Amino acid sequence: MMTSLRHDRRWWHHSILLRGLLTPWLVLSLMGAAPSQVYDIDLAAQDIADALNSLSEQTGVPVIFEYDLAQTRKSKAVSGRFTLTEALELLLRDSGLSGGLSSSGVITISPSITINATDRGKDMTSIPSTPDSRPPRRTRSFLKNLAAAISAALLTTSVAQSQEKTDEPANIMELVVVSAQKRDQNILDVAMSVSAFSDRDIEARGAIQLADFLLGAPSTAIIDNGSGDLNIAIRGISSTLGDSPVGYYLDEAPFSFINFVQVPDVRTWDLERVEVLRGPQGTLFGASSLGGTVRILTRNPVFNEFQGKLDLTASSTEDGGNNYGAKIALNIPLVDDTLALRIAATKEDYSGWLSFFDFFTFTVLEKVNDREIETLRAKLLWAPTEKMDFVLSFMSSDQESGSDTQAGDDGFILPFFLFPQSTESEWDLFALTFNYHAPSFDLVSATSYIDYDSAVRSPFTGQPSFSDSEIFSQEIRLNSSNSEGFRWTGGVYYRELTTDGSGNGAISNTTSDSWAVFGEVVWPFMDEKLDLTVGLRYYEDERTRDDKGFAFNPFTFGFLPVDVQADDTFSALSPRFNLAYHTDGGSLVYGNIAKGFRSGNIQSGASIAIADFAVTVPESPLFGLDPRSVVPIGIDEENAWTYELGTKAPFADGRIVIEAAVYYTDWTDLQTIINVTPVVGALVNVGSAHSLGIDFGLTAEPVDGLTLTASANWNESEYDEDFVDSGGSKVLTKGNRIINIPEFTVTGSAAYRWEFGSSGLSGFAMADVQYNTERTFSFGALVGESETMTQVSARIGLQGGHWGAFLYVQNLTNYDGRVSAPLPFPGIDTVAVRVRPRTIGINLKFNY
């Protein structure tokens, strides 16, 4: 392993961020409850949404409430034996809400009403919210939307009558709330392609990193080379140079860099959820959201309740060694209803399994790609009033790997490397989010500062190349607080990004100062069945680059001095148009047209210096050309327009939910590598490409306790034209697939939970499979291909009230093929990313 490469930092930390995202889980089953039945209830004072969910868990009675009604209100403590009516009256006292038990056996919540004197003393187990016993317009619409998630007929008379006849209530799947459009919504009401993985989903499958489950989002491709960075592509948009083509957010903080396609690996522990937004997200999420956006949302502290959980793993990898992991999370209440702290930490140690031939000792070094990971997260939530709160966050990660996982079919790292290409990355994130909830709008101020350091040891000299990036970002936005009717979102954004790099005799300083203004409005029509959404974002990015030092000159086998300063300004206007229709049965049909963009860039000083020299050398293919026509100083931004038609629909009383979409993406001004010399490249804008595809997702609960999921994607992602650079080298070939994008991706999982009588113990078993066809990597007319991948994992265990014990196996079939496409050159045409071999382990969980 490399020794620590951290250097002294400037510990000025701009204020810090993040909005706590309240996700109320509505556990719905049509279970009846007698109005006079008495329950043992123990509820702390807390957010009303959490209190209602806890009440449902303690009584077994389902609850329905509108999130907007509960998001800014606090409950009273309730402890003792009460009927539901009594408990609700105490819980909701002074909150402006009323609750009762509907005729179908469901707790319903609505705004308080004035009760006439003649009504006092009546049985109020079912409280109407209007004189005609119908909920007001807003609540009716909410129940309609809720039905889209669980069953269009859940609260209808026919279902209630069916329940009375069978006495066996249906078991309805969870309602998932996401904030993909900068406001909380039922996922089935979001008129765009979005997948969400909750903390419960992630922990149930024993996922440790994004690569363990992200393929479950249709049309999402991910390559994890074990170095601490990930390459994510969505809907056929992929690249090898420039900024990442996929937006990547940790809570509210944008987590992407200049001239770095990969995004940092974030461990999936103690999360609220992970959202994958497919298709361009330029309006609300800005630059780099060309193909889509991945949002990783961590858990916020909880008031008035101490919580703790511990997760321990031990495993063994075939052809490798033993692996260990420990994770802990604590929620610490500090001041009732006002202040709470949440801390989460992980430590993981993984053995390597690849080999390396040491030319200095003529020996084989085994298991060189070992890896160590440590993370820490602390979040402080302060709510001085019911209408405002602050979330102060600190997150850090330290990852080291002896080598990445790129190796040949024989299990050896590149044969001509003199040293394993070890890496180390360290980052700290400081954030502050301020939320203010007014009667008609919500204000969010999100501030973040990230310091990201990385070092990669040269495989030829053994010396490290360093990169240090600092990102300060600020977003201020306003949302209308209503969830129905005319709605709007608007805001401003600023980001300051600096990257210092050094290696191979040169140092580089690159800066990006960008700002944006954005807005989106929703107009409802046809009694709110039809929604028209229009959004727009204007973005401007001023970049500078200062490169100094030396670059290797392949013409003279010497060095060229590099002293290049350049700057350029890039801008983009990104609109979005969306039309969505909500059917009476709870389904959603939508059409979406959106533009995404990736900011332009400044050319490497080494590429400029070598191009300037090459045009003076008679034997060079560039001799006599204008060097700026070959290697421009500024590279324009990319643009992608996507046209999409999709639907989301529940069936079988909500036990089956299906989503599907067909899309076409027109991608122009691709930022692509050309050859300045056979061994030196440069970045230029070339040609165009397209992506035509179909997404499909299914979630089903055919019987109680059994959950099935499936996702699939087919896409035709191809370059639309040939491109030959000034030196005569073919860069793109029309009809070739876009790099690292499989044509077919299919995933599926089955999870089953069962009870062991009245013992309080339950069993859990799960299996999942990931499949994708080969990926290509083209270098002009040369094309290299990965192999078709099939991975199977399984997990089985026993759970008690506060513990769980599980056995698991990852990569059950011991798949060892090429996950990424290798470079199509002799001697290295089988060197590609490899996945960890079959790994068998035990996982213990404890919670309090």
Side-chain angles (χ1 to χ4, degrees):
M1 281 290 180
M2 301 171 61
T3 58
S4 177
L5 300 169
R6 180 180 292 274
H7 56 274
D8 292 338
R9 303 169 183 267
R10 295 179 294 162
W11 291 101
W12 56 277
H13 302 133
H14 306 278
S15 27
I16 335 186
L17 123 99
L18 177 30
R19 177 170 184 190
L21 295 169
L22 176 63
T23 304
W25 296 109
L26 305 183
V27 184
L28 297 174
S29 58
L30 290 178
M31 300 173 60
S36 59
Q37 184 174 347
V38 177
Y39 301 90
D40 289 315
I41 298 173
D42 185 11
L43 299 172
Q46 56 190 300
D47 292 337
I48 283 180
D50 291 336
L52 292 171
N53 287 330
S54 296
L55 178 66
S56 178
E57 292 174 359
Q58 293 180 24
T59 62
V61 180
V63 58
I64 290 177
F65 62 93
E66 185 171 358
Y67 176 69
D68 283 354
L69 296 178
Q71 64 179 342
T72 61
R73 307 172 194 251
K74 303 295 181 183
S75 74
K76 302 295 184 181
V78 181
S79 181
R81 291 178 59 79
F82 302 96
T83 66
L84 277 174
T85 304
E86 293 169 339
L88 283 169
E89 181 180 352
L90 292 172
L91 185 153
L92 299 174
R93 182 172 293 170
D94 301 326
S95 69
L97 299 178
S98 299
L101 190 66
S102 73
S103 59
S104 57
V106 178
I107 301 170
T108 59
I109 306 300
S110 61
S112 297
I113 61 172
T114 301
I115 303 177
N116 296 327
T118 55
D119 294 324
R120 298 190 187 278
K122 292 184 178 180
D123 183 3
M124 297 298 293
T125 56
S126 181
I127 303 177
S129 54
T130 63
D132 64 356
S133 299
R134 293 179 299 168
R137 174 185 178 87
R138 178 174 170 180
T139 306
R140 284 203 309 272
S141 180
F142 167 70
L143 294 180
K144 177 197 70 177
N145 293 338
L146 179 62
I150 59 176
S151 163
L154 175 61
L155 297 178
T156 62
T157 303
S158 60
V159 173
Q161 292 173 344
S162 174
Q163 180 194 358
E164 293 173 358
K165 291 177 182 178
T166 64
D167 252 351
E168 294 185 5
N171 207 358
I172 306 300
M173 293 182 299
E174 284 185 341
L175 169 71
V176 179
V177 175
V178 296
S179 53
Q181 295 182 308
K182 304 275 187 171
R183 63 172 66 235
D184 293 336
Q185 296 174 282
N186 170 3
I187 191 170
L188 293 182
D189 287 337
V190 179
M192 57 184 291
S193 294
V194 55
S195 299
F197 304 89
S198 71
D199 185 36
R200 174 176 158 175
D201 299 330
I202 294 168
E203 291 194 16
R205 67 174 65 230
I208 297 171
Q209 56 191 357
L210 292 177
D212 292 336
F213 63 87
L214 209 61
L215 282 177
S219 71
T220 302
I222 183 169
I223 297 176
D224 179 6
N225 67 6
S227 67
D229 297 311
L230 308 172
N231 193 317
I232 301 176
I234 300 177
R235 287 191 169 174
I237 306 296
S238 177
S239 184
T240 56
L241 270 185
D243 302 355
S244 171
V246 171
Y248 194 71
Y249 284 75
L250 186 52
D251 289 328
E252 294 275 2
F255 214 145
S256 56
F257 308 98
I258 301 174
N259 250 338
F260 193 59
V261 173
Q262 288 77 25
V263 294
D265 183 13
V266 174
R267 315 308 283 174
T268 54
W269 169 243
D270 199 41
L271 301 182
E272 184 71 42
R273 65 185 177 276
V274 175
E275 297 178 2
V276 182
L277 287 57
R278 304 190 293 278
Q281 305 296 322
T283 301
L284 293 181
F285 292 95
S288 291
S289 295
L290 194 73
T293 297
V294 176
R295 305 179 67 227
I296 302 166
L297 305 171
T298 63
R299 280 200 178 279
N300 269 352
V302 177
F303 291 142
N304 309 329
E305 182 178 355
F306 179 85
Q307 300 174 352
K309 59 180 181 178
L310 177 67
D311 187 293
L312 303 173
T313 58
S315 63
S316 179
T317 297
E318 193 161 324
D319 298 326
N322 296 326
N323 317 294
Y324 307 95
K327 308 173 188 176
I328 189 171
L330 296 173
N331 187 89
I332 305 169
L334 300 175
V335 179
D336 285 354
D337 300 326
T338 304
L339 193 66
L341 174 69
R342 192 173 190 94
I343 300 173
T346 70
K347 181 174 177 57
E348 303 163 66
D349 192 339
Y350 298 97
S351 67
W353 70 90
L354 298 176
S355 300
F356 180 81
F357 183 78
D358 188 341
F359 285 94
F360 298 103
T361 62
F362 287 92
T363 59
V364 173
L365 306 179
E366 296 183 340
K367 305 175 185 177
V368 294
N369 61 313
D370 55 334
R371 188 178 182 190
E372 296 178 3
I373 305 166
E374 295 181 6
T375 70
L376 174 65
R377 180 168 71 246
K379 301 182 75 173
L380 184 70
L381 172 61
W382 177 42
T385 73
E386 291 187 355
K387 293 186 177 181
M388 70 171 63
D389 62 71
F390 299 83
V391 182
L392 181 66
S393 307
F394 168 74
M395 309 181 198
S396 71
S397 172
D398 187 345
Q399 302 195 36
E400 298 181 27
S401 62
S403 171
D404 60 25
T405 63
Q406 296 189 83
D409 290 341
D410 56 3
F412 276 79
I413 296 170
L414 275 170
F416 51 78
F417 278 7
L418 299 179
F419 301 92
Q421 191 167 292
S422 57
T423 62
E424 179 178 354
S425 63
E426 298 178 324
W427 56 264
D428 296 321
L429 185 154
F430 302 85
L432 176 65
T433 296
F434 167 68
N435 298 286
Y436 178 74
H437 308 288
S440 59
F441 67 88
D442 294 332
L443 168 67
V444 179
S445 172
T447 314
S448 67
Y449 170 77
I450 301 172
D451 191 351
Y452 183 92
D453 296 342
S454 65
V456 181
R457 181 166 66 174
S458 167
F460 302 109
T461 67
Q463 299 301 307
S465 297
F466 296 91
S467 179
D468 182 2
S469 295
E470 296 181 1
I471 310 172
F472 168 75
S473 69
Q474 172 69 57
E475 179 168 299
I476 299 174
R477 69 176 180 268
L478 293 169
N479 291 334
S480 60
S481 58
N482 57 306
S483 60
E484 302 294 334
F486 179 80
R487 307 181 292 282
W488 52 268
T489 300
V492 294
Y493 171 83
Y494 174 76
R495 185 184 74 166
E496 178 182 322
L497 196 162
T498 301
T499 298
D500 295 317
S502 65
N504 299 323
I507 59 174
S508 175
N509 173 266
T510 307
T511 67
S512 168
D513 289 328
S514 59
W515 63 272
V517 58
F518 61 91
E520 191 167 271
V521 295
V522 181
W523 282 283
F525 300 95
M526 297 173 57
D527 195 25
E528 299 191 359
K529 289 184 178 180
L530 185 68
D531 290 334
L532 172 64
T533 301
V534 177
L536 187 66
R537 186 186 193 100
Y538 177 76
Y539 169 89
E540 194 167 291
D541 184 7
E542 182 179 347
R543 295 201 175 189
T544 66
R545 182 160 184 162
D546 185 358
D547 288 2
K548 289 181 170 55
F550 299 92
F552 177 71
N553 187 345
F555 295 103
T556 64
F557 293 94
F559 290 89
L560 283 171
V562 175
D563 187 2
V564 175
Q565 296 84 40
D567 63 84
D568 207 341
T569 299
F570 311 98
S571 62
L573 195 64
S574 295
R576 174 176 179 250
F577 307 96
N578 184 282
L579 196 62
Y581 181 72
H582 303 266
T583 72
D584 290 333
S587 298
L588 173 68
V589 180
Y590 64 89
N592 191 58
I593 301 175
K595 180 187 175 186
F597 64 97
R598 182 164 63 149
S599 183
N601 226 315
I602 304 293
Q603 194 70 253
S604 160
S607 297
I608 292 173
I610 294 172
D612 289 347
F613 185 86
V615 300
T616 68
V617 179
E619 57 270 25
S620 166
L622 307 183
F623 178 68
L625 297 176
D626 177 3
R628 295 291 73 80
S629 68
V630 178
V631 179
I633 293 178
I635 297 93
D636 293 337
E637 60 272 0
E638 289 180 345
N639 296 285
W641 280 93
T642 289
Y643 309 88
E644 176 182 3
L645 182 64
T647 185
K648 303 177 182 182
F651 298 95
D653 291 338
R655 286 187 178 271
I656 299 174
V657 176
I658 291 177
E659 63 168 325
V662 57
Y663 60 87
Y664 179 84
T665 300
D666 185 14
W667 186 12
T668 58
D669 293 326
L670 280 66
Q671 298 174 11
T672 307
I673 300 174
I674 66 167
N675 285 343
V676 179
T677 74
V679 295
V680 177
L683 190 63
V684 299
N685 295 104
V686 300
S688 62
H690 75 270
S691 179
L692 171 66
I694 300 173
D695 289 344
F696 175 82
L698 177 146
T699 304
E701 191 176 355
V703 297
D704 292 350
L706 177 63
T707 302
L708 305 175
T709 68
S711 71
N713 169 256
W714 167 84
N715 75 80
E716 177 192 80
S717 300
E718 297 178 349
Y719 299 110
D720 290 336
E721 55 190 290
D722 292 339
F723 182 84
V724 179
D725 66 24
S726 302
S729 297
K730 195 170 189 179
V731 177
L732 298 181
T733 300
K734 181 179 180 179
N736 277 2
R737 288 192 62 79
I738 296 173
I739 59 172
N740 283 329
I741 301 298
E743 183 177 7
F744 291 100
T745 302
V746 180
T747 69
S749 71
Y752 185 61
R753 297 178 184 272
W754 68 95
E755 304 293 331
F756 289 99
S758 59
S759 65
L761 298 178
S762 62
F764 175 80
M766 182 175 188
D768 67 81
V769 60
Q770 299 179 353
Y771 167 85
N772 63 254
T773 54
E774 65 277 359
R775 312 169 196 253
T776 63
F777 186 94
S778 57
F779 192 86
L782 299 176
V783 177
E785 283 193 348
S786 70
E787 295 174 314
T788 297
M789 183 196 77
T790 303
Q791 280 198 90
V792 180
S793 298
R795 184 176 179 86
I796 188 169
L798 188 67
Q799 295 173 290
H802 297 285
W803 60 273
F806 305 88
L807 294 174
Y808 68 90
V809 56
Q810 297 171 330
N811 195 5
L812 177 65
T813 61
N814 203 30
Y815 170 82
D816 63 351
R818 300 187 295 272
V819 175
S820 67
L823 294 173
F825 300 113
I828 59 172
D829 55 354
T830 68
V831 175
V833 173
R834 308 287 168 157
V835 297
R836 180 170 290 274
R838 182 188 296 115
T839 298
I840 301 175
I842 185 171
N843 177 210
L844 302 177
K845 294 178 178 288
F846 306 92
N847 66 80
Y848 173 78

